[in-house]
Amino acid sequence: MAELAAPAVGDWDFPRGTASIELMTRFAADRGLPAEHLLSATTLSPELLADPSVQVDARQELAVVRALAELDGSDATALELGRRYRVTTFGIFGFACISSPTLQDAMLFALRYFDLSFAFCIPHVELESGRLTLELDDSRVPADVARFLVLRDLAAIFSVMRDLLPEIVLEDLSFRHDESTVDPYRVAFGVVPRFGADACRATLDPALLMLPLPQANDQTVALCAAQCEALVARKRRRSGISQQVRERLVRLGGVDAGMDEIARQLTLSTRTLRRRLSESGTSYRALVDEVRQALAEELLDTGVLSVEDVAYRLGYAEASSFIYAFKRWTGMTPAAFARRFRAARQAPPGR
């Protein structure tokens, strides 16, 4: 089986716009959930959220997803949320896809500029005679929100595909997680899925690839492609300062050297560093938390270090402070996280 094209990125940790976060806050409000709770999990303000030029770190959106899942993390909610994503949600990226000549052209474009999406699960599209398969890789997604994001992302992908080609249908659908109430799945995908499979996988008729899209326009897609190229370049420049701070914190093992020291290493004033981080939709404190969380999860995953050892390595004076911070990041204690991770790794394949 040959991959149609490799996605532009292999991980979810790429900068993104605020449209998805704004969509989730509206979704929460529509369902009578406290939308303000979602933003309180981030360093974002409603003013920043309303600015379409703002780029945010992926972990800001992940915090919103986690906050929403804490309020209502059911499969039905994840699937309904995914259906709210339409081709227009993605701005110029979406217009490029809908203006492509065929579904295959749209898929190739989407994979080429995948870091303009809001997904966390990485798609792999494979083509074999008689089968077109879309598989979502959630191996790098945090375990506590992996199921929620698999459902949201696949429902969003299918929603966008239906915008591109209304007659599209799935031939088969499978998920790794345990059996669930099928009605929300039937509404989202038009089929009843299989559960407990070896992967999240959707199968389509490969003949769909060459069908012309109703709104195809060569001039529009060329113009959109040029704008997407410029947008990707601009996003990478804007994410540069966040990545530079992140790299220095990783070198320090997550120990907080202080914003003044990091600014000195970057030959910037503290004020300039604070402003540039704000422009990229994050803050020094958020990056410290992000790095510490990532390192903490890696250290706990070894199964060798105690919670006290991990706390010490990350620069915490007391284990209790680390436990409090870890619970704020993930919604569970370090000990509970380590148990869940080990249980997931020891589970039989296909579960």
Side-chain angles (χ1 to χ4, degrees), residues 13-296:
D13 197 8
F14 51 85
R16 47 191 73 202
T18 58
S20 181
I21 296 176
E22 197 273 335
L23 184 151
M24 284 189 281
T25 58
R26 282 190 287 108
F27 175 80
D30 290 347
R31 292 175 63 88
L33 301 172
E36 64 278 4
H37 177 69
L38 274 60
L39 274 191
S40 68
T42 75
T43 60
L44 297 173
S45 65
E47 292 74 26
L48 272 178
L49 203 60
D51 185 349
S53 67
V54 167
Q55 298 292 319
V56 301
D57 287 340
R59 288 179 185 270
Q60 298 267 36
E61 181 170 344
L62 182 64
V64 173
V65 171
R66 183 169 279 130
L68 178 57
E70 287 174 355
L71 293 171
D72 183 354
S74 67
D75 290 359
T77 295
L79 291 166
E80 185 182 346
L81 173 62
R83 292 171 59 211
R84 293 284 186 98
Y85 290 78
R86 308 301 299 268
V87 70
T88 52
T89 307
F90 300 86
I92 200 70
F93 173 62
F95 283 115
C97 292
I98 205 168
S99 304
S100 297
T102 66
L103 182 62
Q104 177 168 305
D105 292 314
M107 283 185 169
L108 291 172
F109 189 94
L111 292 169
R112 187 181 314 128
Y113 295 101
F114 188 70
D115 46 345
L116 293 180
S117 75
F118 305 111
F120 284 84
C121 303
I122 306 301
H124 295 279
V125 183
E126 297 182 331
L127 180 62
E128 191 180 44
S129 56
R131 288 186 63 136
L132 173 64
T133 303
L134 168 65
E135 187 172 312
L136 288 190
D137 177 8
D138 67 337
S139 60
R140 296 179 181 269
V141 178
D144 62 313
V145 288
R147 177 166 174 165
F148 190 91
L149 281 170
V150 162
L151 296 178
R152 185 203 76 161
D153 286 359
L154 189 59
I157 289 172
F158 192 56
S159 176
V160 169
M161 289 176 70
R162 277 180 163 165
D163 282 343
L164 301 179
L165 199 64
E167 63 264 36
I168 201 165
V169 294
L170 296 181
E171 294 187 341
D172 189 52
L173 179 63
S174 62
F175 292 97
R176 287 191 298 123
H177 54 256
D178 295 336
E179 188 168 349
S180 180
T181 303
V182 299
D183 286 346
Y185 290 83
R186 187 185 290 110
V187 171
F189 302 111
V191 296
V192 175
R194 293 178 292 109
F195 298 98
D198 63 343
C200 169
R201 186 182 296 118
T203 303
L204 303 91
D205 182 353
L208 293 169
L209 288 174
M210 302 316 297
L211 291 181
L213 299 186
Q215 299 185 55
N217 186 294
D218 291 341
Q219 285 185 318
T220 300
V221 76
L223 177 62
C224 290
Q227 293 187 41
C228 285
E229 190 68 41
L231 183 56
V232 164
R234 188 162 66 249
K235 284 179 68 172
R236 289 172 182 168
R237 285 198 302 272
R238 284 189 157 188
S239 65
I241 189 64
S242 299
Q243 185 60 25
Q244 290 175 51
V245 172
R246 190 183 292 115
E247 287 172 353
R248 280 156 178 79
L249 290 170
V250 168
R251 288 176 202 160
L252 294 168
V255 176
D256 184 4
M259 192 172 185
D260 292 345
E261 172 58 22
I262 297 297
R264 187 192 65 77
Q265 293 182 22
L266 295 171
T267 65
L268 297 171
S269 69
T270 303
R271 181 179 180 181
T272 299
L273 176 58
R274 182 180 293 108
R275 175 178 57 79
R276 290 181 61 182
L277 289 174
S278 177
E279 288 173 350
S280 66
T282 189
S283 68
Y284 177 74
R285 176 49 51 194
L287 291 175
V288 170
D289 281 353
E290 173 189 326
V291 170
R292 281 180 162 175
Q293 179 185 346
L295 292 175

